[in-house]
Amino acid sequence: MAKIIVVTSGKGGVGKTTTSAAIATGLALRGFKTVVIDFDVGLRNLDLIMGCERRVVYDFVNVIKKEATLNQAMIKDKRTPGLYILPASQTRDKDALTMEGVQTVLDNLAKDFEYIICDSPAGIEQGAQMALYFADEAIVVTNPEVSSVRDSDRIIGILQSKSLKAEQGGTVKEHLLLTRYNPERVAAAEMLSVADVEDILAVPLLGVIPESEAVLKASNQGAPVILDQESQAGQAYLDAVSRLLGEEVEHRFLDVQKKGFLKRLLGGK
Amino acid sequence: MANVCFQMKGTAFTAVVMDLYDYSADLFLAQLKQKINTAPQFFNASPLVLNLAPFEGELKDEQLEQIVAACREMGLQPIACRGAGIELKYTVMGLGLASLPSAKTRSTDIQAEPAQSKAAHVKASPLAGNKEPAFRPSKVITKPVRSGQQVYAEGCDLIVMAAVSQGAEVLADGHIHIYGPLRGRALAGVKGDTNARVFCRQMEAELVSIAGYFVLNEKLRELCWKEAAHAFLEGESIQVSAI
Ligand SMILES: Nc1ncnc2c1ncn2[C@@H]1O[C@H](COP(=O)(O)OP(=O)(O)OP(=O)(O)O)[C@@H](O)[C@H]1O
Ligand SMILES: [Mg+2]
């Protein structure tokens, strides 16, 4: 049985697409056949982050409208074996996704894949609700600031009341992923700490991804940051994937790092 | 598909109810100003239902007009009149208000729906002729009540075994017990039970209300903030003390 995992946040621009690309790649690296779906109709981004934008011919909406088959629309990742991308449509018709259509696509994918990752659009409206409706688990992406935490709280409320699982009396398993974490700014009390966010949301912590220039570099190169295993963000995503698979891994990169004498002298970062 | 212009739905939302006992223009205006100054944010643009049922004597047309004008001037939005006699019917209509029967309030279970209402009852109408209080089991919520959600325990106590987030609202006709941080709003005794209390493990509420009387966050910060506390009504003021 395939596991459907939605990557959601409420607030926009917090790192959902970055996370979807990294987690999907990470699961494939660990040998699981994985597909990542872009639910952000009209604003597709995932194909850029995955570096396959030039290979998009058909998309999610074409499949739903039966203008193309799943096999025609899915793009096989060039770098990571066992990883596929189903890009979003550029259409401006926000209602192009229908509940029945999404369900049919997910049912078909579930026959072949072990993990289905759904990259949700921002907001708490229909688009976001569609992306989370069929989820078994949810990665709630949050930045350490008040408005992002509040929106995450709202989306968790929706997960637990308006998903298929909730309607059937079950629960969607929640994971908190804190991204763009900057220990210096936390120390200066300009950002909420891990403990603050955990206290407010009361959701198990999947990982903390530090703010890192490697993320921007990776998206410019069209290679998910998890492949940059030199970078702290890449390593933190690898850890998160291990935890998602049930392994116990200690959290890293939570504290301000002391710069070495030489680095300080040379002004290194 | 043809464009659907609208959909009709029944809904229930909270409004401020003003029980009118007596009227003289000056006194009314002074008291209204005073009440609103206790919580200007709370009352700003609040929908208001005028309840004339408890009024002693006979309210004249022009008095009702003055009352509505004063409320509008103070930023409230009178939407309906309840318990108005037949002689006031045309005045009520002329003021653009709906007429509601004076019968007891109908309540609907509004659990886990995004909160639409910003206001709560200032003074909820007590149920007329409450006789034998039949035993009603408490409503028990084991998961956090998240921002935008609302949980109402109708005719009983409410027990929440997790956090009530900022932006969430919990209501009960009876007591409210919260075994997690209370960061949202808790309204006990919403049908007028002045003996109702709010108990919580960690007081960080936006608002605590009992039988329509309430205290807001700024005040609560001075009382038992982040401590285990309970709130109860003494006369017309809410007391908060440690437990
Ligand atoms: N850990 C990080 N460090 C630095 N920058 C980051 C990090 N994570 C994400 N970003 C940057 O934040 C921006 C938004 O990221 P992303 O597109 O993944 O967010 P999103 O939640 O999918 O946005 P949207 O709501 O618009 O879909 C991007 O410019 C990305 O490079
Ligand atoms: Mg995105």
Side-chain angles (χ1 to χ4, degrees):
Chain A
M1 262 298 283
K3 243 191 206 148
I4 303 178
I5 303 179
V6 63
V7 178
T8 187
S9 69
K11 193 172 193 299
V14 296
K16 291 180 294 297
T17 302
T18 304
T19 298
S20 300
I23 298 282
T25 305
L27 288 167
L29 286 175
R30 296 287 297 263
F32 295 98
K33 201 170 173 202
T34 301
V35 56
V36 53
I37 308 178
D38 192 345
F39 272 78
D40 206 344
V41 173
L43 279 175
R44 76 176 192 221
N45 254 329
L46 181 69
D47 48 335
L48 286 172
I49 306 281
M50 297 294 299
C52 65
E53 70 278 9
R54 279 191 221 92
R55 293 197 286 144
V56 175
V57 181
Y58 295 109
D59 59 50
F60 195 11
V61 172
N62 293 136
V63 178
I64 284 178
K65 291 193 169 158
K66 301 207 161 62
E67 294 159 359
T69 65
L70 255 179
N71 283 330
Q72 285 174 311
M74 273 195 300
I75 300 170
K76 189 174 187 313
D77 191 76
K78 281 218 166 117
R79 297 185 194 86
T80 316
L83 178 60
Y84 291 77
I85 298 116
L86 184 54
S89 169
Q90 298 278 39
T91 173
R92 271 187 279 154
D93 178 10
K94 288 269 173 202
D95 300 326
L97 296 183
T98 60
M99 206 59 108
E100 302 76 51
V102 171
Q103 178 158 33
T104 311
V105 171
L106 291 177
D107 283 349
N108 282 327
L109 290 172
K111 290 176 201 153
D112 283 339
F113 287 91
E114 292 168 280
Y115 282 96
I116 302 173
I117 309 296
C118 304
D119 179 18
S120 171
I124 57 172
E125 305 300 325
Q126 207 208 354
Q129 294 196 14
M130 189 83 81
L132 67 77
Y133 186 74
F134 297 100
D136 300 305
E137 302 191 13
I139 296 176
V140 180
V141 180
T142 308
N143 289 167
E145 39 115 3
V146 174
S147 65
S148 171
V149 174
R150 167 80 79 106
D151 280 4
S152 293
D153 195 52
R154 288 184 164 238
I155 206 79
I156 298 166
I158 290 169
L159 272 168
Q160 302 308 1
S161 59
K162 298 203 169 150
S163 59
L164 179 62
K165 270 258 151 62
E167 285 172 9
Q168 293 171 340
T171 45
V172 177
K173 188 171 176 194
E174 305 152 346
H175 307 274
L176 171 62
L177 189 74
L178 206 51
T179 61
R180 311 200 68 162
Y181 197 72
N182 184 331
E184 278 95 14
R185 296 191 61 191
V186 172
E190 293 169 3
M191 275 188 172
L192 299 175
S193 69
V194 181
D196 292 336
V197 179
E198 278 188 291
D199 181 47
I200 296 172
L201 293 179
V203 169
L205 185 66
L206 181 68
V208 178
I209 313 297
E211 172 86 27
S212 157
E213 282 168 20
V215 173
L216 189 63
K217 206 175 93 196
S219 76
N220 285 336
Q221 292 174 345
V225 70
I226 197 167
L227 295 173
D228 179 358
Q229 296 178 3
E230 304 274 278
S231 71
Q232 291 193 347
Q235 292 170 30
Y237 272 119
L238 278 176
D239 290 356
V241 169
S242 302
R243 291 187 201 103
L244 195 61
L245 296 172
E247 294 159 25
E248 282 198 22
V249 185
E250 235 186 282
H251 290 280
R252 301 191 264 176
F253 317 121
L254 303 187
D255 300 314
V256 179
Q257 284 176 322
K258 292 189 189 72
K259 286 183 183 171
F261 172 71
L262 215 82
K263 267 196 175 167
R264 229 182 313 162
L265 208 66
L266 300 172
K269 283 193 191 146
Chain B
M1 195 175 88
N3 288 334
V4 178
C5 289
F6 59 82
Q7 187 188 6
M8 304 275 249
K9 285 183 187 168
T11 184
F13 49 86
T14 33
V16 176
V17 177
M18 177 189 281
D19 288 346
L20 196 70
Y21 303 117
D22 201 352
Y23 182 74
S24 84
D26 295 346
L27 263 182
F28 178 82
L29 200 62
Q31 289 175 13
L32 184 62
K33 277 187 181 150
Q34 195 190 357
K35 188 83 201 169
I36 285 177
N37 280 336
T38 58
Q41 293 292 4
F42 180 78
F43 286 109
N44 188 27
S46 274
L48 176 80
V49 175
L50 277 169
N51 183 16
L52 306 183
F55 191 77
E56 306 273 348
E58 202 179 47
L59 191 68
K60 300 198 183 68
D61 293 355
E62 61 273 25
Q63 291 180 318
L64 181 60
E65 286 165 8
Q66 286 165 12
I67 289 170
V68 170
C71 291
R72 290 197 170 129
E73 192 163 298
M74 296 302 293
L76 294 163
Q77 297 194 64
I79 51 167
C81 229
R82 177 199 266 168
I86 190 84
E87 59 294 355
L88 283 173
K89 192 173 150 196
Y90 289 106
T91 316
V92 172
M93 273 169 65
L95 286 164
L97 302 180
S99 289
L100 302 179
S102 56
K104 54 185 178 177
T105 14
R106 252 186 328 139
S107 325
T108 316
D109 198 348
I110 35 179
Q111 188 191 359
E113 278 297 313
Q116 255 115 31
S117 60
K118 64 194 257 295
H121 316 247
V122 154
K123 174 81 177 73
S125 32
L127 275 186
N130 230 352
K131 294 161 213 118
E132 246 347 59
F135 174 76
R136 281 249 215 154
S138 306
K139 182 167 194 151
V140 180
I141 305 287
T142 53
K143 290 191 210 125
V145 186
R146 306 275 179 185
S147 181
Q149 292 187 314
Q150 204 177 38
V151 176
Y152 176 37
E154 191 184 355
C156 61
D157 292 352
L158 176 65
I159 298 171
V160 181
M161 296 169 64
V164 175
S165 295
Q166 219 181 82
E169 197 168 61
V170 291
L171 307 96
D173 290 344
H175 304 299
I176 297 177
H177 307 257
I178 300 165
Y179 295 94
L182 167 56
R183 300 189 172 113
R185 299 166 158 232
L187 298 89
V190 295
K191 288 211 183 117
D193 180 0
T194 51
N195 290 318
R197 293 180 186 224
V198 173
F199 304 85
C200 66
R201 277 273 281 274
Q202 198 174 319
M203 171 64 81
E204 295 175 57
E206 290 175 306
L207 171 145
V208 170
S209 160
I210 290 165
Y213 301 94
F214 58 88
V215 270
L216 293 169
N217 179 277
E218 298 99 72
K219 187 80 195 293
L220 290 166
R221 281 176 185 273
E222 299 159 13
L223 310 158
C224 307
W225 191 244
K226 297 200 177 182
E227 287 172 37
H230 73 140
F232 55 98
L233 202 58
E234 223 175 65
E236 297 208 338
S237 81
I238 291 185
Q239 307 294 315
V240 181
S241 67
I243 42 176

